[in-house]
């Protein structure tokens, strides 16, 4: 049995998904998110994300961390820079915890989970709910995305680790 943590980085909300299982057989899962306040300065928000991830990695001791790779929309270049800063503190937490970390582009996750690299958020969320046999919506959306990352990590564990 392996444990994979998927993380969908974001400054306002970072999604977390943890999957236990082997290959494509899920034995259990949990999810949540880390929220930060716009009222707090950037260093404070990054510190909160780093601290929570560090504590989570210490308590859960995952075999692998799968992180959504950084992307930037042409119309919002500053968002890409901020996302890179969030990703940096998460990568640092993984490194300091001695956990292997892989980054996977969101299009690749969508392709694996839905068969369509251009799938929308709703289509991806429905695929994750179906795979996990989860009733009701997985909220926030970032947590659903994080579970998708963890599932891809579990399916590819032998190649990624």
């Amino acid at each position: 049995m392996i444990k994979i943590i998927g993380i969908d980085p974001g400054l306002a909300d970072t999604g977390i998904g943890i999957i236990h299982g082997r290959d494509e057989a899920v034995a259990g899962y949990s999810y949540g998110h880390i929220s930060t306040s716009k009222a707090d300065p950037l260093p404070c928000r990054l510190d909160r994300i780093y601290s929570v991830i560090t504590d989570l990695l210490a308590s859960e001791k995952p075999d692998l961390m799968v992180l959504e790779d950084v992307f930037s929309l042409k119309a919002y270049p500053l968002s890409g820079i901020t996302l890179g800063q969030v990703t940096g503190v998460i990568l640092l937490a993984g490194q300091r915890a001695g956990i292997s970390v892989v980054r996977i582009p969101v299009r690749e996750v969508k392709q694996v989970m839905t068969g369509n690299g251009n799938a929308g958020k709703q289509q991806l969320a429905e695929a994750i709910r179906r795979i996990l046999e989860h009733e009701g919506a997985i909220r926030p959306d970032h947590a659903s995305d994080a579970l998708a990352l963890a599932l891809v990590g579990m399916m590819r564990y032998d190649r990624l680790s």
Side-chain angles (χ1 to χ4, degrees):
M1 181 101 51
I2 57 172
K3 186 185 288 187
I4 310 294
I5 185 168
I7 302 180
D8 178 22
L11 186 59
D13 282 299
T14 291
I16 311 264
I18 300 172
I19 300 283
H20 312 264
R22 188 71 178 155
D23 300 321
E24 295 185 28
V26 176
Y29 64 95
S30 59
Y31 60 91
H33 66 107
I34 304 165
S35 292
T36 66
S37 171
K38 289 181 183 180
D40 291 334
L42 178 63
C44 180
R45 296 171 82 181
L46 292 173
D47 181 64
R48 173 164 166 68
I49 294 165
Y50 175 80
S51 297
V52 172
I53 296 289
T54 297
D55 292 346
L56 187 62
L57 295 177
S59 66
E60 291 292 332
K61 297 180 181 20
D63 298 294
L64 178 69
M65 182 190 325
V66 182
L67 185 61
E68 184 176 287
D69 206 2
V70 176
F71 67 94
S72 181
L73 299 174
K74 193 174 186 177
Y76 305 102
L78 291 179
S79 294
I81 292 168
T82 301
L83 183 58
Q85 293 169 323
V86 173
T87 299
V89 300
I90 296 169
L91 288 169
L92 178 61
Q95 175 65 29
R96 292 217 170 150
I99 296 168
S100 295
V101 181
V102 295
R103 293 175 294 155
I104 300 178
V106 68
R107 284 183 184 258
E108 187 175 335
V109 173
K110 290 177 178 182
Q111 180 66 42
V112 171
M113 294 288 104
T114 70
N116 177 3
N118 293 316
K121 275 198 162 296
Q122 187 62 35
Q123 188 178 355
L124 180 60
E126 288 296 323
I128 299 314
R129 285 183 44 219
R130 199 170 36 258
I131 291 166
L132 296 176
E133 299 176 358
H134 183 88
E135 293 199 23
I138 297 171
R139 295 282 182 231
D141 291 336
H142 296 291
S144 180
D145 294 347
L147 284 168
L149 288 155
L151 282 165
V152 171
M154 188 176 76
M155 292 173 186
R156 296 180 174 178
Y157 181 74
D158 293 331
R159 288 184 284 169
L160 296 175
S161 59

